[in-house]
């Protein structure tokens, strides 16, 4: 019996690419820098997984994602002419990840799911990132778990295991909800139930990854409303 | 400028005494044990502060409050004839702390405060305890911080400091809300703003402690609605 739903956030709940593009666009305008903003967003995101790898493999102590995002931004700034912006603007741009907009079904869908289950953010984002993002978009988590609470980055197996432990739940009582097959695969290995949500525009119009479930996940849905329907949540939501 | 409100929970948001009495009463009935249930609740609670002291002073590694509650229950069970109950019922009784009812103003008051501020539980209770309690009573935290997230029990100074850090906020941007002067004193020492909420029945009709503010706290109120008024929150709440 499922008691809690644990959500991947970047790409699954929020549209990181459009959020980063929006804020990078404001910086481009302010400084009159001409660069390929979509490419910038993709390149920044491309540094995401490699930057966590040293921590996952124990070569570096845990630091929160805001720090990795800033290091990754520094790494690619020069290529896009962004090395000239002020520190204040750099920190502001780095916090674009705290301001990512949700997919259109996320807010209402989460409310419906909350009516029947504990809903938790199980993201690699740090606590303040998830709090600030959720506050802006009124995403009503019951609990923010994820990397800073469990001390590990997904898809490390212990990241999923510890999240369930924090809720006093068995892994099979938790459903991992993600738009990424590799996230679900790691969660399933620890015994969690799995729900694949198709987010075919996460990487824009040219997306090639995660357009289909790679395995026979417990649930395969097109959005959070379909997941709520399949899990027997009512239409009215939570309040 | 205050950006986040951090709440003590036991006594400040929920009425632990009535919750424990209610569930102990059910156990008494089931086993036909005749004991002073109010005294039992007070004695169990009396073990609370001493049990954390070894952890605060570094003589014992951090363990979550559910474990301390269980040890404390074991310690006093014999005195009340509760040593005869089954393990299942003992664990159920220990989880009475996961089922504590809120004060009558807590839910609506928190919603109003949430409309303007980040609201976080900064309790010595563990994550699952706060999640379960809040789920039952629909207390909509933006974030659950507290002992299990920061790794320290209040009133250790670092417990307050780390909670603010998790939100990327300066201590003076956070308001500690509590019905207990010692909690506020420790928070104020770290630079947090303070709000004293009078909960004159926390210890029942014979309460002698925390009936008045012991210092000139930033806010002194009779309930969460008064706090919301003083902080300029609207009447409509959050949604």
């Amino acid at each position: 019996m499922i008691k809690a739903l644990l959500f991947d956030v970047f790409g699954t709940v929020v549209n990181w690419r459009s959020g980063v593009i929006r804020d990078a666009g404001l910086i481009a305008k302010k400084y009159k820098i001409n660069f390929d903003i979509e490419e910038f967003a993709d390149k920044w995101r491309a540094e995401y997984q490699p930057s966590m790898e040293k921590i996952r493999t124990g070569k570096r102590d845990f630091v929160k994602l805001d720090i990795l995002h800033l290091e990754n931004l520094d790494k690619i700034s020069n290529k896009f002419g962004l090395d000239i912006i002020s520190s204040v603007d750099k920190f502001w741009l780095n916090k674009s990840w705290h301001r990512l907009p949700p997919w259109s079904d996320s807010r209402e869908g989460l409310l419906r799911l909350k009516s029947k289950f504990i809903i938790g953010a199980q993201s690699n984002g740090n606590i303040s990132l998830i709090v600030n993002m959720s506050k802006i978009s009124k995403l009503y988590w019951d609990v923010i778990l994820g990397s800073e609470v469990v001390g590990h980055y997904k898809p490390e197996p212990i990241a999923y295991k510890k999240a369930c432990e924090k809720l006093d739940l068995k892994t099979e009582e938790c459903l991992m909800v993600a738009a990424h097959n590799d996230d679900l695969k790691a969660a399933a290995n620890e015994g969690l139930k799995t729900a694949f949500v198709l987010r075919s525009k996460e990487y824009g119009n040219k997306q090639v990854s995660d357009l289909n479930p790679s395995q026979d996940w417990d649930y395969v849905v097109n959005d959070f409303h379909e997941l709520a329907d399949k899990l027997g949540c009512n239409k009215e939501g939570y309040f």
Side-chain angles (χ1 to χ4, degrees), chain A:
Chain A
M1 198 184 121
I2 295 166
K3 293 182 179 169
L5 275 51
L6 301 180
F7 289 79
D8 172 61
V9 174
F10 301 131
T12 301
V13 179
V14 298
N15 183 346
W16 59 265
R17 195 170 185 270
S18 71
V20 169
I21 288 171
R22 178 193 61 201
D23 288 354
L26 292 171
I27 292 289
K29 202 173 169 185
K30 177 173 178 180
Y31 286 90
K32 300 189 174 64
I33 317 173
N34 192 13
F35 64 95
D36 185 330
I37 296 175
E38 293 199 10
E39 191 196 347
F40 166 74
D42 291 337
K43 282 280 188 294
W44 197 3
R45 182 64 173 178
E47 298 292 337
Y48 171 71
Q49 291 294 346
S51 70
M52 290 181 287
E53 205 48 32
K54 279 185 187 166
I55 295 170
R56 290 185 186 122
T57 53
K59 288 178 190 144
R60 182 179 181 183
D61 285 343
F62 181 87
V63 296
K64 63 183 182 178
L65 190 63
D66 276 350
I67 292 173
L68 299 179
H69 273 155
L70 192 65
E71 292 172 0
N72 295 342
L73 178 57
D74 280 336
K75 206 167 167 182
I76 64 162
S77 282
N78 183 281
K79 181 177 163 67
F80 295 95
L82 283 163
D83 45 344
I84 60 150
I85 73 173
S86 71
S87 285
V88 170
D89 284 332
K90 187 173 81 173
F91 289 126
W92 179 85
L93 181 58
N94 196 52
K95 288 218 169 171
S96 61
W97 298 89
H98 291 225
R99 297 183 294 266
L100 302 176
W103 298 109
S104 62
D105 56 290
S106 292
R107 180 175 136 71
E108 293 296 324
L110 284 176
L111 283 177
R112 290 183 60 198
L113 293 162
K114 186 179 169 81
S115 71
K116 198 166 167 181
F117 305 99
I118 293 167
I119 58 169
Q122 174 60 6
S123 167
N124 282 335
N126 39 279
I127 293 172
S128 65
L129 186 159
I130 302 295
V131 169
N132 293 336
M133 164 201 290
S134 302
K135 201 72 180 161
I136 293 170
S137 298
K138 297 192 172 183
L139 308 175
Y140 304 112
W141 304 111
D142 289 308
V143 61
I144 294 172
L145 296 168
S147 58
E148 199 179 358
V149 174
V150 303
H152 294 272
Y153 282 112
K154 294 185 299 177
E156 263 199 86
I158 196 172
Y160 306 91
K161 208 163 162 276
K162 276 206 171 186
C164 303
E165 281 173 11
K166 296 289 180 195
L167 297 174
D168 288 343
L169 295 177
K170 295 173 191 158
T171 54
E172 62 265 32
E173 293 174 318
C174 297
L175 175 71
M176 185 72 208
V177 183
H180 311 118
N181 285 291
D182 57 353
D183 202 355
L184 295 177
K185 190 171 180 177
N189 282 342
E190 296 310 300
L192 285 84
K193 300 271 185 278
T194 50
F196 176 84
V197 186
L198 178 65
R199 298 298 190 192
S200 62
K201 303 287 182 189
E202 178 184 356
Y203 286 89
N205 291 321
K206 296 171 192 164
Q207 181 163 331
V208 291
S209 60
D210 292 312
L211 292 172
N212 290 291
S214 64
Q215 285 179 234
D216 186 21
W217 307 122
D218 296 301
Y219 300 90
V220 174
V221 297
N222 288 297
D223 61 25
F224 290 172
H225 282 294
E226 191 180 348
L227 184 60
D229 290 341
K230 288 196 171 174
L231 291 171
C233 301
N234 64 35
K235 297 271 181 202
E236 291 76 35
Y238 193 53
F239 305 107

PDB file of all heavy atoms in Angstrom, chain A residues 15-18 21 38 42 103 199-209 211:
ATOM      1  N   ASN A  15       9.744  23.300 -14.855  1.00  0.00           N
ATOM      2  CA  ASN A  15      10.378  23.408 -16.162  1.00  0.00           C
ATOM      3  C   ASN A  15      11.666  24.225 -16.012  1.00  0.00           C
ATOM      4  O   ASN A  15      11.654  25.450 -16.165  1.00  0.00           O
ATOM      5  CB  ASN A  15       9.383  24.087 -17.116  1.00  0.00           C
ATOM      6  CG  ASN A  15       9.895  24.192 -18.542  1.00  0.00           C
ATOM      7  OD1 ASN A  15      11.084  23.993 -18.803  1.00  0.00           O
ATOM      8  ND2 ASN A  15       8.999  24.508 -19.451  1.00  0.00           N
ATOM      9  N   TRP A  16      12.752  23.529 -15.673  1.00  0.00           N
ATOM     10  CA  TRP A  16      14.000  24.245 -15.375  1.00  0.00           C
ATOM     11  C   TRP A  16      14.511  25.025 -16.586  1.00  0.00           C
ATOM     12  O   TRP A  16      15.046  26.121 -16.458  1.00  0.00           O
ATOM     13  CB  TRP A  16      15.088  23.281 -14.874  1.00  0.00           C
ATOM     14  CG  TRP A  16      15.444  22.190 -15.843  1.00  0.00           C
ATOM     15  CD1 TRP A  16      14.922  20.927 -15.850  1.00  0.00           C
ATOM     16  CD2 TRP A  16      16.350  22.258 -16.939  1.00  0.00           C
ATOM     17  NE1 TRP A  16      15.443  20.209 -16.890  1.00  0.00           N
ATOM     18  CE2 TRP A  16      16.335  21.002 -17.574  1.00  0.00           C
ATOM     19  CE3 TRP A  16      17.173  23.251 -17.463  1.00  0.00           C
ATOM     20  CZ2 TRP A  16      17.099  20.712 -18.700  1.00  0.00           C
ATOM     21  CZ3 TRP A  16      17.946  22.977 -18.581  1.00  0.00           C
ATOM     22  CH2 TRP A  16      17.900  21.712 -19.189  1.00  0.00           C
ATOM     23  N   ARG A  17      14.295  24.461 -17.785  1.00  0.00           N
ATOM     24  CA  ARG A  17      14.890  25.065 -18.974  1.00  0.00           C
ATOM     25  C   ARG A  17      14.273  26.436 -19.260  1.00  0.00           C
ATOM     26  O   ARG A  17      14.978  27.423 -19.493  1.00  0.00           O
ATOM     27  CB  ARG A  17      14.689  24.123 -20.171  1.00  0.00           C
ATOM     28  CG  ARG A  17      15.569  24.453 -21.368  1.00  0.00           C
ATOM     29  CD  ARG A  17      15.474  23.316 -22.377  1.00  0.00           C
ATOM     30  NE  ARG A  17      16.380  23.510 -23.490  1.00  0.00           N
ATOM     31  CZ  ARG A  17      16.060  24.147 -24.604  1.00  0.00           C
ATOM     32  NH1 ARG A  17      14.853  24.663 -24.749  1.00  0.00           N
ATOM     33  NH2 ARG A  17      16.957  24.280 -25.577  1.00  0.00           N
ATOM     34  N   SER A  18      12.955  26.520 -19.197  1.00  0.00           N
ATOM     35  CA  SER A  18      12.312  27.807 -19.487  1.00  0.00           C
ATOM     36  C   SER A  18      12.623  28.823 -18.389  1.00  0.00           C
ATOM     37  O   SER A  18      12.740  30.024 -18.655  1.00  0.00           O
ATOM     38  CB  SER A  18      10.796  27.639 -19.642  1.00  0.00           C
ATOM     39  OG  SER A  18      10.199  27.376 -18.384  1.00  0.00           O
ATOM     40  N   ILE A  21      16.211  30.051 -18.997  1.00  0.00           N
ATOM     41  CA  ILE A  21      16.195  30.895 -20.215  1.00  0.00           C
ATOM     42  C   ILE A  21      15.602  32.272 -19.910  1.00  0.00           C
ATOM     43  O   ILE A  21      16.132  33.303 -20.329  1.00  0.00           O
ATOM     44  CB  ILE A  21      15.416  30.178 -21.346  1.00  0.00           C
ATOM     45  CG1 ILE A  21      16.246  29.007 -21.882  1.00  0.00           C
ATOM     46  CG2 ILE A  21      15.027  31.147 -22.457  1.00  0.00           C
ATOM     47  CD1 ILE A  21      15.499  28.084 -22.841  1.00  0.00           C
ATOM     48  N   GLU A  38      19.355  29.545 -25.214  1.00  0.00           N
ATOM     49  CA  GLU A  38      18.947  28.135 -25.073  1.00  0.00           C
ATOM     50  C   GLU A  38      20.172  27.236 -24.904  1.00  0.00           C
ATOM     51  O   GLU A  38      20.174  26.322 -24.072  1.00  0.00           O
ATOM     52  CB  GLU A  38      18.134  27.686 -26.299  1.00  0.00           C
ATOM     53  CG  GLU A  38      16.787  28.394 -26.381  1.00  0.00           C
ATOM     54  CD  GLU A  38      15.789  27.655 -27.276  1.00  0.00           C
ATOM     55  OE1 GLU A  38      16.070  26.509 -27.667  1.00  0.00           O
ATOM     56  OE2 GLU A  38      14.727  28.228 -27.559  1.00  0.00           O
ATOM     57  N   ASP A  42      21.168  24.792 -21.691  1.00  0.00           N
ATOM     58  CA  ASP A  42      21.504  23.372 -21.870  1.00  0.00           C
ATOM     59  C   ASP A  42      22.919  23.061 -21.391  1.00  0.00           C
ATOM     60  O   ASP A  42      23.166  22.008 -20.799  1.00  0.00           O
ATOM     61  CB  ASP A  42      21.332  22.971 -23.339  1.00  0.00           C
ATOM     62  CG  ASP A  42      19.859  22.977 -23.760  1.00  0.00           C
ATOM     63  OD1 ASP A  42      18.991  22.848 -22.874  1.00  0.00           O
ATOM     64  OD2 ASP A  42      19.588  23.127 -24.959  1.00  0.00           O
ATOM     65  N   TRP A 103       5.274  22.995 -14.323  1.00  0.00           N
ATOM     66  CA  TRP A 103       4.461  22.595 -15.463  1.00  0.00           C
ATOM     67  C   TRP A 103       3.003  22.929 -15.137  1.00  0.00           C
ATOM     68  O   TRP A 103       2.635  23.035 -13.951  1.00  0.00           O
ATOM     69  CB  TRP A 103       4.600  21.086 -15.734  1.00  0.00           C
ATOM     70  CG  TRP A 103       5.990  20.649 -16.095  1.00  0.00           C
ATOM     71  CD1 TRP A 103       6.825  19.921 -15.298  1.00  0.00           C
ATOM     72  CD2 TRP A 103       6.710  20.892 -17.314  1.00  0.00           C
ATOM     73  NE1 TRP A 103       8.025  19.698 -15.941  1.00  0.00           N
ATOM     74  CE2 TRP A 103       7.978  20.290 -17.201  1.00  0.00           C
ATOM     75  CE3 TRP A 103       6.401  21.558 -18.501  1.00  0.00           C
ATOM     76  CZ2 TRP A 103       8.937  20.319 -18.193  1.00  0.00           C
ATOM     77  CZ3 TRP A 103       7.355  21.596 -19.511  1.00  0.00           C
ATOM     78  CH2 TRP A 103       8.612  20.986 -19.355  1.00  0.00           C
ATOM     79  N   ARG A 199       7.445  14.066 -19.703  1.00  0.00           N
ATOM     80  CA  ARG A 199       7.667  15.517 -19.845  1.00  0.00           C
ATOM     81  C   ARG A 199       8.477  15.701 -21.125  1.00  0.00           C
ATOM     82  O   ARG A 199       9.696  15.871 -21.097  1.00  0.00           O
ATOM     83  CB  ARG A 199       8.427  16.064 -18.627  1.00  0.00           C
ATOM     84  CG  ARG A 199       7.725  15.933 -17.286  1.00  0.00           C
ATOM     85  CD  ARG A 199       6.407  16.710 -17.239  1.00  0.00           C
ATOM     86  NE  ARG A 199       5.855  16.787 -15.880  1.00  0.00           N
ATOM     87  CZ  ARG A 199       4.617  17.206 -15.617  1.00  0.00           C
ATOM     88  NH1 ARG A 199       3.795  17.542 -16.605  1.00  0.00           N
ATOM     89  NH2 ARG A 199       4.193  17.269 -14.375  1.00  0.00           N
ATOM     90  N   SER A 200       7.762  15.684 -22.220  1.00  0.00           N
ATOM     91  CA  SER A 200       8.423  15.591 -23.525  1.00  0.00           C
ATOM     92  C   SER A 200       9.087  16.893 -23.973  1.00  0.00           C
ATOM     93  O   SER A 200       9.808  16.922 -24.963  1.00  0.00           O
ATOM     94  CB  SER A 200       7.412  15.141 -24.585  1.00  0.00           C
ATOM     95  OG  SER A 200       6.394  16.110 -24.692  1.00  0.00           O
ATOM     96  N   LYS A 201       8.852  17.977 -23.240  1.00  0.00           N
ATOM     97  CA  LYS A 201       9.448  19.271 -23.599  1.00  0.00           C
ATOM     98  C   LYS A 201      10.502  19.711 -22.589  1.00  0.00           C
ATOM     99  O   LYS A 201      10.911  20.877 -22.611  1.00  0.00           O
ATOM    100  CB  LYS A 201       8.356  20.345 -23.698  1.00  0.00           C
ATOM    101  CG  LYS A 201       7.246  20.031 -24.672  1.00  0.00           C
ATOM    102  CD  LYS A 201       7.701  20.180 -26.120  1.00  0.00           C
ATOM    103  CE  LYS A 201       6.525  19.908 -27.054  1.00  0.00           C
ATOM    104  NZ  LYS A 201       6.940  19.817 -28.453  1.00  0.00           N
ATOM    105  N   GLU A 202      10.904  18.808 -21.696  1.00  0.00           N
ATOM    106  CA  GLU A 202      11.888  19.226 -20.693  1.00  0.00           C
ATOM    107  C   GLU A 202      13.115  19.831 -21.353  1.00  0.00           C
ATOM    108  O   GLU A 202      13.655  20.833 -20.885  1.00  0.00           O
ATOM    109  CB  GLU A 202      12.296  18.034 -19.803  1.00  0.00           C
ATOM    110  CG  GLU A 202      13.352  18.444 -18.773  1.00  0.00           C
ATOM    111  CD  GLU A 202      13.874  17.288 -17.933  1.00  0.00           C
ATOM    112  OE1 GLU A 202      13.381  16.149 -18.072  1.00  0.00           O
ATOM    113  OE2 GLU A 202      14.795  17.550 -17.126  1.00  0.00           O
ATOM    114  N   TYR A 203      13.567  19.209 -22.440  1.00  0.00           N
ATOM    115  CA  TYR A 203      14.735  19.723 -23.167  1.00  0.00           C
ATOM    116  C   TYR A 203      14.325  20.474 -24.433  1.00  0.00           C
ATOM    117  O   TYR A 203      15.054  20.512 -25.412  1.00  0.00           O
ATOM    118  CB  TYR A 203      15.701  18.572 -23.484  1.00  0.00           C
ATOM    119  CG  TYR A 203      16.462  18.107 -22.265  1.00  0.00           C
ATOM    120  CD1 TYR A 203      15.952  17.113 -21.435  1.00  0.00           C
ATOM    121  CD2 TYR A 203      17.677  18.698 -21.918  1.00  0.00           C
ATOM    122  CE1 TYR A 203      16.638  16.710 -20.298  1.00  0.00           C
ATOM    123  CE2 TYR A 203      18.368  18.297 -20.782  1.00  0.00           C
ATOM    124  CZ  TYR A 203      17.841  17.310 -19.977  1.00  0.00           C
ATOM    125  OH  TYR A 203      18.516  16.919 -18.851  1.00  0.00           O
ATOM    126  N   GLY A 204      13.148  21.068 -24.401  1.00  0.00           N
ATOM    127  CA  GLY A 204      12.680  21.835 -25.553  1.00  0.00           C
ATOM    128  C   GLY A 204      12.126  20.934 -26.643  1.00  0.00           C
ATOM    129  O   GLY A 204      11.797  19.762 -26.409  1.00  0.00           O
ATOM    130  N   ASN A 205      12.032  21.487 -27.814  1.00  0.00           N
ATOM    131  CA  ASN A 205      11.377  20.773 -28.920  1.00  0.00           C
ATOM    132  C   ASN A 205      12.207  19.631 -29.504  1.00  0.00           C
ATOM    133  O   ASN A 205      11.685  18.789 -30.212  1.00  0.00           O
ATOM    134  CB  ASN A 205      11.022  21.768 -30.034  1.00  0.00           C
ATOM    135  CG  ASN A 205       9.911  22.705 -29.583  1.00  0.00           C
ATOM    136  OD1 ASN A 205       8.969  22.289 -28.897  1.00  0.00           O
ATOM    137  ND2 ASN A 205      10.026  23.978 -29.940  1.00  0.00           N
ATOM    138  N   LYS A 206      13.493  19.675 -29.206  1.00  0.00           N
ATOM    139  CA  LYS A 206      14.364  18.654 -29.811  1.00  0.00           C
ATOM    140  C   LYS A 206      14.706  17.521 -28.849  1.00  0.00           C
ATOM    141  O   LYS A 206      15.707  16.825 -29.010  1.00  0.00           O
ATOM    142  CB  LYS A 206      15.654  19.316 -30.301  1.00  0.00           C
ATOM    143  CG  LYS A 206      15.438  20.326 -31.420  1.00  0.00           C
ATOM    144  CD  LYS A 206      16.724  21.101 -31.708  1.00  0.00           C
ATOM    145  CE  LYS A 206      16.466  22.301 -32.596  1.00  0.00           C
ATOM    146  NZ  LYS A 206      17.587  23.260 -32.576  1.00  0.00           N
ATOM    147  N   GLN A 207      13.889  17.350 -27.822  1.00  0.00           N
ATOM    148  CA  GLN A 207      14.209  16.327 -26.808  1.00  0.00           C
ATOM    149  C   GLN A 207      14.285  14.926 -27.405  1.00  0.00           C
ATOM    150  O   GLN A 207      13.443  14.543 -28.226  1.00  0.00           O
ATOM    151  CB  GLN A 207      13.147  16.382 -25.688  1.00  0.00           C
ATOM    152  CG  GLN A 207      13.400  15.374 -24.574  1.00  0.00           C
ATOM    153  CD  GLN A 207      12.615  15.709 -23.312  1.00  0.00           C
ATOM    154  OE1 GLN A 207      12.338  16.867 -23.054  1.00  0.00           O
ATOM    155  NE2 GLN A 207      12.277  14.701 -22.547  1.00  0.00           N
ATOM    156  N   VAL A 208      15.295  14.195 -26.974  1.00  0.00           N
ATOM    157  CA  VAL A 208      15.425  12.803 -27.435  1.00  0.00           C
ATOM    158  C   VAL A 208      15.384  11.799 -26.273  1.00  0.00           C
ATOM    159  O   VAL A 208      15.146  10.615 -26.480  1.00  0.00           O
ATOM    160  CB  VAL A 208      16.743  12.585 -28.237  1.00  0.00           C
ATOM    161  CG1 VAL A 208      16.678  13.332 -29.570  1.00  0.00           C
ATOM    162  CG2 VAL A 208      17.970  13.030 -27.439  1.00  0.00           C
ATOM    163  N   SER A 209      15.593  12.282 -25.048  1.00  0.00           N
ATOM    164  CA  SER A 209      15.657  11.366 -23.899  1.00  0.00           C
ATOM    165  C   SER A 209      14.318  11.284 -23.170  1.00  0.00           C
ATOM    166  O   SER A 209      13.522  12.226 -23.188  1.00  0.00           O
ATOM    167  CB  SER A 209      16.730  11.848 -22.918  1.00  0.00           C
ATOM    168  OG  SER A 209      16.412  13.149 -22.465  1.00  0.00           O
ATOM    169  N   LEU A 211      11.515   9.924 -23.600  1.00  0.00           N
ATOM    170  CA  LEU A 211      10.239  10.116 -24.296  1.00  0.00           C
ATOM    171  C   LEU A 211       9.333   8.896 -24.128  1.00  0.00           C
ATOM    172  O   LEU A 211       8.154   8.934 -24.467  1.00  0.00           O
ATOM    173  CB  LEU A 211      10.483  10.397 -25.785  1.00  0.00           C
ATOM    174  CG  LEU A 211      11.158  11.753 -26.051  1.00  0.00           C
ATOM    175  CD1 LEU A 211      11.540  11.889 -27.528  1.00  0.00           C
ATOM    176  CD2 LEU A 211      10.254  12.914 -25.627  1.00  0.00           C
TER     177      LEU A 211
END
